[in-house]
């Protein structure tokens, strides 16, 4: 073996997601000249070896999780620190990610099929190609018989199925989901969790999923990042030990119940620092 070959280090791929000392604050509407801290010194890495992972951001409502997701999506910029995905700094809308928000986001003037075709048309896909892809994904989310329906004819769960199909159809390497099932009833929510898990196992996108529901986090995630009350800080990073596939009945398993209780106790025992204000 020659010296050049001997001295060559193995190529390493950049992380799927990398946040380094990220801070974010907003103007305080009640105190002129001051800012409210939303995210404080958060560092988070999803290594390249974990591509295709399912990571849940779990924490109290309003703690800053959505702000973190928005910075990864490039819809917000950090006030300090760096955000990158797949080795590229996020300095604007992130072309490597697609977001599924909690609010229903179907375009009311388009049919179900037209909604899923929309992102594909932006990518320049031909009419025939985008129709084929859109129909395939609508079938996979259980809406193959509602192609011509308008959003007004769909239930909330169906609208979220459309949003998920539209997101997955563009095959993003990073799927950001901001409490997408938070507004659904319990039964529909369980059905959507099962559907999402099946689609993720088929697609293997890297998913970052926000929730404040402990059971949902344990049912869906491979890895859970537990956040403190605002300003957001990571207080625990854990691997979920339950094998897949996970049935909804897992919530009654003793180990599941014990782990849920431990996470709840962790959240309760983390003191609320109160709203931090800094001068401009």
């Amino acid at each position: 073996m020659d010296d050049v070959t001997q001295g060559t280090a193995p190529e390493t791929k950049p992380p799927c997601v990398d946040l380094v000392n990220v801070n974010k604050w907003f103007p305080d509407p009640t105190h002129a000249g001051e800012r409210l801290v939303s995210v404080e010194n958060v560092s988070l890495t999803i290594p390249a070896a974990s591509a295709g992972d399912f990571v849940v951001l779990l924490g109290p409502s309003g703690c800053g999780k959505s702000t973190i997701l928005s910075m990864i999506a490039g819809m917000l910029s950090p006030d300090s620190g760096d955000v990158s995905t797949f080795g590229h700094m996020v300095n604007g809308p992130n072309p490597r990610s697609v977001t599924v928000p909690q609010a229903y986001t179907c375009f009311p003037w388009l049919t179900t099929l037209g909604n899923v075709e929309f992102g594909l048309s932006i990518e320049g896909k031909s009419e025939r190609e985008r129709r084929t892809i859109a129909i395939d994904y609508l079938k996979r989310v259980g809406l193959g018989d509602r192609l011509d329906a308008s959003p007004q004819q769909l239930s909330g769960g169906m609208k979220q199925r459309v949003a998920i199909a539209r997101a997955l159809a563009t095959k993003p390497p990073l799927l950001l989901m901001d409490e997408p099932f938070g507004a659904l009833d319990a039964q529909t929510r369980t059905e959507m969790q099962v559907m999402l898990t099946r689609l993720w196992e088929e697609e293997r996108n890297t998913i970052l999923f926000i929730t404040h529901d402990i059971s949902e986090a344990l049912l869906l995630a491979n890895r859970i990042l537990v956040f403190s009350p605002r300003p957001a800080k990571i207080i625990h990073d854990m691997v979920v030990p339950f094998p897949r596939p996970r049935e909804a009945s897992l919530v009654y398993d003793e180990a599941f119940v014990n782990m849920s209780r431990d996470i709840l106790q962790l959240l309760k025992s983390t003191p609320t620092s109160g709203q931090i204000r800094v001068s401009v």
Side-chain angles (χ1 to χ4, degrees), residues 11-12 19 34 43 50 125 167 183 188 210 215 254 270 272 279:
E11 183 180 355
T12 58
L19 277 66
E34 293 186 343
S43 293
S50 295
K125 296 279 195 300
T188 303
I210 286 179
S215 293
E254 182 178 0
T270 303
T272 302
S279 298

Side-chain angles (χ1 to χ4, degrees), residues 240-263:
V240 179
F242 306 114
R244 296 184 185 274
R246 299 174 191 161
E247 302 295 336
S249 58
L250 181 62
V251 298
Y252 303 110
D253 181 86
E254 182 178 0
F256 188 100
V257 172
N258 290 339
M259 189 165 290
S260 299
R261 184 186 61 238
D262 291 344
I263 295 173

Side-chain angles (χ1 to χ4, degrees), residues 108-181:
W109 60 89
L110 295 176
T111 64
T112 299
L113 182 62
N115 267 278
V116 179
E117 286 187 82
F118 181 80
L120 298 168
S121 65
I122 293 176
E123 291 184 342
K125 296 279 195 300
S126 69
E127 181 178 354
R128 181 176 180 177
E129 186 177 11
R130 64 178 183 254
R131 182 178 179 85
T132 299
I133 294 171
I135 290 174
D136 175 53
Y137 275 91
L138 283 167
K139 287 180 178 178
R140 291 165 70 180
V141 300
L143 292 177
D145 60 342
R146 304 303 300 272
L147 302 181
D148 296 322
S150 67
Q152 293 85 353
Q153 297 172 307
L154 302 178
S155 67
M158 288 178 176
K159 290 176 183 177
Q160 283 301 65
R161 288 173 187 266
V162 173
I164 291 170
R166 184 174 61 207
L168 290 176
T170 62
K171 296 192 177 297
L174 183 59
L175 184 61
L176 308 176
M177 308 190 79
D178 191 354
E179 296 199 64
F181 309 146

Side-chain angles (χ1 to χ4, degrees), residues 220-231:
L220 293 178
N222 292 333
R223 175 186 178 191
I224 298 176
L225 301 172
V226 184
F227 283 81
S228 67
R230 180 175 292 196

Side-chain angles (χ1 to χ4, degrees), residues 32-69:
E34 293 186 343
R35 298 176 294 203
L36 301 176
V37 180
S38 177
V39 176
E40 186 176 28
N41 201 35
V42 167
S43 293
L44 158 64
T45 299
I46 300 176
S50 295
D53 210 352
F54 200 128
V55 180
V56 166
L57 280 60
L58 173 69
S61 294
C63 74
K65 305 184 299 297
S66 295
T67 300
I68 291 172
L69 214 67

Side-chain angles (χ1 to χ4, degrees), residues 157-226:
M158 288 178 176
K159 290 176 183 177
Q160 283 301 65
R161 288 173 187 266
V162 173
I164 291 170
R166 184 174 61 207
L168 290 176
T170 62
K171 296 192 177 297
L174 183 59
L175 184 61
L176 308 176
M177 308 190 79
D178 191 354
E179 296 199 64
F181 309 146
L184 303 177
D185 64 84
Q187 180 177 342
T188 303
R189 187 169 186 159
T190 299
E191 293 171 356
M192 296 291 283
Q193 290 166 353
V194 172
M195 181 201 73
L196 177 62
T197 300
R198 173 177 53 79
L199 290 170
W200 168 73
E201 289 173 343
E202 294 171 357
E203 297 286 315
R204 286 296 175 175
N205 312 77
T206 299
I207 295 181
L208 266 68
F209 186 104
I210 286 179
T211 185
H212 59 268
D213 185 289
I214 295 172
S215 293
E216 182 169 68
L218 288 172
L219 283 171
L220 293 178
N222 292 333
R223 175 186 178 191
I224 298 176
L225 301 172
V226 184

